[in-house]
Amino acid sequence: MGKKGGASEKKGAKVFKTKCSQCHTVEEGGAHKQGPNLYGFFGRQSGQADGYSYSSANKKSGITWADDTLFDYLENPKKYIKGTKMVFAGIKKPQERKDLIAYLKKTCSA
């Protein structure tokens, strides 16, 4: 993807490192931390990573992770899934969310 309105995987990697890596891993077979390992989550329904204890709100949300659902979720997780145990305020800047999603799509794809 190019410049101007496109998403940057490189910038997304920085966003992940500063805002997500404390609680999440992305590599295949990676450990769960405070949050679940994210490998293979695109196209999967929320609350499905084996071995992670999700909130019932997350398991029952029925959300399938895609660009649009992730974009909205990352803005304000607690508003998007009421009752989630994810203690993250969200990413308010749309471009940062787009960059992060581009990074996650590349890094977490099975």
Side-chain angles (χ1 to χ4, degrees):
M1 293 186 168
K3 312 253 187 265
K4 249 191 178 167
S8 165
E9 291 169 9
K10 188 175 181 181
K11 287 181 182 174
K14 286 183 183 173
V15 174
F16 183 85
K17 186 175 182 187
T18 58
K19 299 187 178 187
C20 313
S21 65
Q22 183 178 343
C23 297
H24 294 282
T25 58
V26 292
E27 63 279 348
E28 185 173 8
H32 296 307
K33 291 181 170 182
Q34 185 172 345
N37 169 272
L38 299 175
Y39 186 82
F41 83 102
F42 263 90
R44 186 169 70 197
Q45 196 167 339
S46 65
Q48 303 294 312
D50 287 339
Y52 185 77
S53 177
Y54 288 93
S55 64
S56 61
N58 199 304
K59 288 190 265 190
K60 294 175 182 176
S61 69
I63 295 164
T64 298
W65 295 121
D67 290 41
D68 57 341
T69 52
L70 200 52
F71 185 80
D72 292 343
Y73 176 74
L74 289 170
E75 183 177 17
N76 189 339
K78 288 196 174 296
K79 184 178 178 186
Y80 196 74
I81 299 179
K82 290 189 181 7
T84 185
K85 64 182 187 181
M86 183 162 155
V87 290
F88 179 64
I91 299 170
K92 303 305 175 216
K93 295 179 181 173
Q95 190 60 50
E96 278 190 9
R97 295 197 309 271
K98 288 178 187 177
D99 294 342
L100 177 59
I101 291 166
Y103 168 76
L104 291 173
K105 275 178 91 167
K106 181 179 183 207
T107 310
C108 299
S109 294

